[in-house]
Structures are given as structure tokens and as C-alpha cells.
Amino acid sequence: MKPTEFVKVNGQFWGEHLKGVGEHLAGSHRNELPGPLLFPRMMVLTETPDWNILELVGVSREYRSLEVRRRKAASVEEYFGLGDGAPVVTLPGENLFKDATVATEVGRRELVDRFPGADKMIGNEFTGPGEQILQFAPGNFSTFDRVLLVHTVGASIRVHWTFFALAIHRSEPADKYLAFLRNYAQAADHLDPIGTLSVPVGDLDLKGSPFASTYLGHGLPDSTVDQFLEDNESILLSAFDATRLIRRPFLERQEDGDALQPDFILETADGNHIVGDLGLPLLEGKKHHRTTSVHDGAAALARYADYFTSPEHRAFAQTKYGVDVSDPRKLLVIGTQDTVNPADVTDAAIEIVDYDSILRLHLAANS
């Protein structure tokens, strides 16, 4: 199937399917659903030399016509994760992961300790040794329906929640792919149609701007770091079980009077701390010069962590911000579309989470 055929088939199927769900299920069966029915916001269609990949991203309270973005990736493995070595799961024939977690053994051990909301998202577990979680092969129809992917390289961990993704080898014909989508949709529970998510989230406002994917980029180039953190403070606090967010702390170095300035520090409920940067194209000053490089982000986080090894620096932060930071976790928030290479984080010991996954952790923590 050529990429142009892939685009056509997905546009036809998902437009009809999600529109029908939005018009029918959300109204006539509202009282039977466990909570608000959430829809994706964008359809991302990715072409690699051998594979076509569909992914639905973003979260919307109502169905709206999906925005479409096309892109290319070097390989299907690059698209879905990082790491080399033996795979956790080898994918022969048709593969379905639904409401599941696919993780390295190290990643699974660390998951709930670092991300408390994840315990409500784990579902079916697929874990194993190694740092490459998936290995694809021709003939695959590999579907990831609300799946948490947890990759590790050394002491670094990347968490990525997929709303819905499907990888199909380019040798497969379009009519077979369309039949597969239709059969999968027909086999789904009527109250749980594919490409949707129902979450009992109480009185949370699901209509505000935070409930859009950073993949969309809506407003990001015009939003400052302070504005982004203000808009998303409650999401960051609940996703990481934190009680306090300190925005743009100014960390003066006693030895030379210079300073470091991470984007935020989170104080967690257990008294620990997370120092974080936003690897997003946000506005800073009058020009857009924030780095979105994972490698550079990891280097900056290492400098922040090193700052707190000094008793004088810890005392400065304690006096100015009322936090006693020791051995903080290092967090880089990236865009949903960003890929991560093992070389970027081999010696970094950082946590990498895209914004859509933080949003999902927030919804899980409040469900």
C-alpha cells in the first residue's frame, strides 16, 4: 500500500467512524458510560521505508474532524521507541495490545514509584529484559489501543501513552487494511468504540486548552513558559503526585554569581523533588530560541542536579523558595511527536515524558 493510499483509507474510515460515535453514543448512551467520552484531535500518518504507521493523538471532549499530519521516520522501531538489544516483544502476524503496558523489566519496576497515576493504567502486562521493547516483522498488523510504552536506556526512562496506533507493512494491500479496521471496529464493545476513551473524572474541566495535544502546537509558539505552567499546573501536580510547583526558579551559584534557571521544580507528596525542563517550542523573550533537543535537555538537567550537590546552593534554594532539594529527579517534557535516540540519554539518568502522557496520567490519577 502506497502512502497516498494509506492516507486515503484512514481519512475515509476514521472520519466516518468517529463522527458516527460522536453523533450516536455520546448522546443516546450517555448514562451508560462510566464517564465523559474523549475523542482524539489529530491523525498522524507516518511513512518509513517499509512501514505505514497511523497514530491518533490529543484529547477532546467532543468529536471534531481530525486534523491530519503526515511525516516520515527512519524506521518503525525509531517511531515507537528507543533502545537496542533483545526485544521485550517480537511481533509475528496480527498483534493486538489493548489497555496494556509494554515495558522493559527496569521500566516496569520504576513505573508506579515515579508516576503514581500509572497503577490505574497498567492493564495487561508485557515485560521482559532488554531495552528495545518491540521488534516488527513483515506481515504484522500491530495495533496499540490505549497502551503505555515504557522504554529504558541505562538509568533513563521514557514513558509514552498511545491513544491508538497501528503499524502495517507497506506490502499489505489497502483493501485488506480497510477490512481489518472495519472488522476491529465491529468487534469492539458498543460502549467502548475504538479510538475513544471514557474516564470517570468527576468535575474536571475537559474543555479547556490543556486538553489538546502539544502535537497540534496550538498556541505553543505564542505561549511563554510561565503561561504554559500556569495553564497546566494542576495537570503537572496530579500526574506526579506533587503538592507544589515552583516556576522558573533562579538558582544563583555562590562561586561566581552566575545562575541556572530550570523551568520548574515539583515538590512531591513524599517530600522529594523533580527538577524539570520543557523541551517544547515555547516563546522566550522576543524570539523562539528554546531548545527541543533531547541531548541538550539532558545536559541541562545534569547541571541542575549538580547544583544541588553543594550545601551552599541547597541553603540558597531553601532560603529563597522554601525547598530542601537533595538528589532531585530529572524530568524532560517533550512534544508527542519527538523521537528519542539511545545516544541522547545513555549516561543521563533522566525521565522523558511527552505531554499527552502527562495528560493521561493526570486523568488516571483523578479517576
Side-chain angles (χ1 to χ4, degrees):
M1 175 174 25
K2 297 179 180 179
T4 52
E5 294 179 292
F6 190 64
V7 172
K8 182 178 179 180
V9 169
N10 282 294
Q12 174 188 345
F13 173 81
W14 292 104
E16 294 174 355
H17 168 69
L18 292 174
K19 182 180 180 181
V21 171
E23 291 177 345
H24 168 64
L25 190 63
S28 61
H29 294 270
R30 184 182 300 276
N31 294 332
E32 300 174 59
L33 297 170
L37 192 66
L38 307 182
F39 293 84
R41 285 291 293 114
M42 175 178 277
M43 179 168 60
V44 182
L45 302 169
T46 302
E47 170 192 350
T48 81
D50 300 309
W51 294 82
N52 290 316
I53 304 165
L54 157 80
E55 185 167 6
L56 304 180
V57 300
V59 175
S60 174
R61 180 62 181 84
E62 297 89 12
Y63 167 71
R64 289 177 282 177
S65 295
L66 295 177
E67 298 188 38
V68 179
R69 183 165 297 180
R70 296 180 63 176
R71 63 191 297 248
K72 293 184 178 183
S75 68
V76 65
E77 287 82 11
E78 176 190 89
Y79 185 91
F80 278 98
L82 52 80
D84 299 314
V88 172
V89 180
T90 300
L91 302 170
E94 289 190 9
N95 308 278
L96 170 61
F97 302 92
K98 182 174 176 62
D99 295 316
T101 296
V102 184
T104 64
E105 289 179 346
V106 174
R108 179 62 186 89
R109 273 199 312 270
E110 298 289 330
L111 185 61
V112 175
D113 287 342
R114 300 196 194 200
F115 309 99
D119 63 344
K120 299 179 181 179
M121 301 165 53
I122 290 171
N124 300 311
E125 296 186 46
F126 301 86
T127 61
E131 295 177 335
Q132 177 177 315
I133 63 172
L134 300 168
Q135 185 176 70
F136 295 81
N140 291 170
F141 277 66
S142 295
T143 305
F144 304 86
D145 192 344
R146 301 187 305 227
V147 176
L148 193 62
L149 302 174
V150 186
H151 316 260
T152 48
V153 172
S156 291
I157 182 171
R158 186 193 180 192
V159 175
H160 175 57
W161 181 73
T162 58
F163 197 158
F164 187 93
L166 199 156
I168 176 173
H169 197 265
R170 289 178 61 180
S171 61
E172 300 293 335
D175 56 348
K176 182 179 178 182
Y177 175 61
L178 181 58
F180 174 85
L181 288 175
R182 287 173 173 165
N183 290 336
Y184 185 50
Q186 290 170 2
D189 188 322
H190 179 66
L191 295 177
D192 185 21
I194 65 171
T196 67
L197 172 69
S198 186
V199 182
V201 291
D203 297 326
L204 287 180
D205 175 18
L206 300 184
K207 296 184 179 181
S209 60
F211 286 85
S213 170
T214 52
Y215 211 131
L216 304 176
H218 287 167
L220 272 184
D222 301 316
S223 178
T224 64
V225 175
D226 285 326
Q227 186 63 54
F228 183 89
L229 292 173
E230 181 179 344
D231 291 343
N232 295 283
E233 180 171 356
S234 64
I235 292 175
L236 287 165
L237 290 175
S238 66
F240 293 96
D241 193 25
T243 56
R244 186 182 176 198
L245 172 69
I246 302 169
R247 302 177 200 161
R248 305 300 300 277
F250 186 84
L251 305 177
E252 184 176 309
R253 294 192 297 203
Q254 302 298 307
E255 62 273 21
D256 57 13
D258 203 353
L260 299 174
Q261 192 169 32
D263 286 334
F264 60 88
I265 293 175
L266 286 167
E267 186 167 62
T268 59
D270 59 9
N272 292 314
H273 297 89
I274 303 170
V275 58
D277 264 353
L278 301 170
L280 303 168
L282 297 164
L283 182 67
E284 187 169 320
K286 295 183 179 181
K287 297 181 179 179
H288 302 90
H289 60 81
R290 294 183 61 76
T291 177
T292 57
S293 160
V294 172
H295 182 270
D296 291 346
L301 289 168
R303 292 192 293 271
Y304 305 150
D306 184 65
Y307 176 91
F308 291 107
T309 61
S310 162
E312 292 80 9
H313 292 162
R314 289 179 59 189
F316 175 83
Q318 173 72 43
T319 300
K320 188 166 184 177
Y321 298 106
V323 289
D324 184 11
V325 180
S326 176
D327 192 24
R329 291 163 53 186
K330 295 168 286 185
L331 173 68
L332 183 64
V333 181
I334 63 175
T336 310
Q337 75 278 18
D338 293 335
T339 57
V340 182
N341 296 314
D344 293 331
V345 296
T346 299
D347 301 315
I350 66 173
E351 300 166 21
I352 305 172
V353 189
D354 55 88
Y355 181 74
D356 278 10
S357 298
I358 291 176
L359 176 56
R360 182 67 185 97
L361 287 164
H362 164 66
L363 291 171
N366 287 277
S367 66

